[in-house]
Amino acid sequence: MSVSVSGPAANVAAIPFPTGWCATDLGSLRPCASTYEIYPLESLPPLEAAHLDDGFDWLGGAGGPRSEHTEHLAAMERELAEAGLALPEGFAAFYGSERLCRAFDEVSVTACWSHLSGPLHSPAEEGARLVRFLRDQQDCVIWYLYLRPSGEAFVVFSPVELESAGWWAEGEPAEEVRAAVTSSLMRCADTFEEFAYRFVVENELWMQANSAGAESPLAPRLQAYAGHYASAAS
C-alpha cells in the first residue's frame, strides 16, 4: 500500500539519487575486488520473467504464522501514518511472515542480518523517511527502504548508520556534513521485492558456485540469472 499527500512536503523536488548494486562476487560470472563492489544497475540481469508482484511466490508466498516483527511493524505503520506515509505491502508482508523474515539472514554469504529500525528522517528530502532493514555484520553497507511523500518506495544503501547519525535533526552538524550523508545514499532497487529477489538469488548462486557440488544443475531461477552473465561474456 502507498499513500499520496498534498501540501508543502508533497511539493519538495525529488532528488535523483545515484544508482548502483552493492554486492559480492558471483564466482567467475562476476568478479569482485573486495568484500563488496558497486555494479551498474544496467549490468544486472532483467527481472521481468520473475513476475514480482509483492506476493513472494518465488519464496513460497508470504502466508503462514506472523513473525516476531508484527508489533514493531504495527508501531511503524502508526508513526508513518502520522507523517502521511505507509509501508509498501511487499515490505510489510515479508517482515510480517515468520517464514520469510529470515530469508536474507539465512542466505547471506557475507553475514548480513535483518535489523529493522523505526522511521528515520531523510537527510535529503523534507517529509521522506527511511527504514533500515538489513546491515552487513561490520556495517560496511546498510540497506534502507526509502519512502517519499509522493507514495514512491524504493531501496537505497549507504555505509552510514542513519539511526545513530540522527544528529542532523537538531541542525548539527554543518550543512556540508549533512550533504555528505545525503551523497552516501545510492538507489539500488525500485521495489523491495526486486531487492529481495536479487539478494536471495545472488547469494544462492554464490553458494552454488563455491560448493563442492558446483557441477550439479542450477535451479531455474539461478540458471536464468547466471545465463545473463554468461551471455554478456560470450
Side-chain angles (χ1 to χ4, degrees):
M1 177 177 66
S2 63
V3 296
S4 298
V5 298
S6 58
N11 296 324
V12 174
I15 291 177
F17 291 111
T19 63
W21 179 252
C22 185
T24 194
D25 70 275
L26 294 177
S28 61
L29 294 172
R30 189 183 71 192
C32 182
S34 186
T35 304
Y36 296 103
E37 193 163 320
I38 298 175
Y39 303 94
L41 291 186
E42 59 270 21
S43 71
L44 304 180
L47 299 184
E48 288 82 358
H51 304 298
L52 306 180
D53 59 3
D54 286 341
F56 294 92
D57 291 340
W58 53 278
L59 278 178
R66 303 300 294 165
S67 78
E68 63 186 2
H69 301 295
T70 299
E71 291 185 7
H72 180 77
L73 290 168
M76 195 188 309
E77 288 277 27
R78 290 192 294 270
E79 187 174 345
L80 287 171
E82 293 177 358
L85 301 167
L87 291 175
E89 289 182 2
F91 185 91
F94 183 91
Y95 277 108
S97 167
E98 175 65 24
R99 190 161 46 78
L100 297 186
C101 70
R102 297 183 180 87
F104 299 149
D105 311 54
E106 291 170 352
V107 301
S108 176
V109 299
T110 54
C112 293
W113 55 292
S114 294
H115 189 204
L116 295 181
S117 71
L120 308 171
H121 286 263
S122 169
E125 299 172 320
E126 181 183 352
R129 299 289 188 274
L130 296 96
V131 175
R132 183 196 61 234
F133 64 89
L134 185 69
R135 63 199 307 168
D136 169 77
Q137 63 169 338
Q138 296 179 328
D139 284 353
C140 297
V141 58
I142 304 169
W143 289 270
Y144 301 88
L145 182 69
Y146 195 99
L147 305 170
R148 279 179 166 150
S150 63
E152 186 183 13
F154 51 95
V155 178
V156 299
F157 67 89
S158 170
V160 178
E161 168 47 273
L162 300 178
E163 186 171 29
S164 301
W167 17 252
W168 62 67
E170 287 75 44
E172 295 286 342
E175 189 60 33
E176 58 268 22
V177 177
R178 176 172 175 159
V181 174
T182 296
S183 69
S184 77
L185 299 174
M186 294 192 72
R187 181 170 178 154
C188 62
D190 290 338
T191 69
F192 175 75
E193 190 175 11
E194 177 186 321
F195 171 86
Y197 187 89
R198 290 199 190 281
F199 188 91
V200 170
V201 168
E202 289 202 359
N203 280 273
E204 289 178 337
L205 193 54
W206 189 98
M207 286 187 282
Q208 180 76 10
N210 290 276
S211 69
E215 67 279 358
S216 60
L218 294 174
R221 71 184 182 202
L222 302 189
Q223 182 61 58
Y225 211 89
H228 168 83
Y229 289 102
S231 297
S234 61

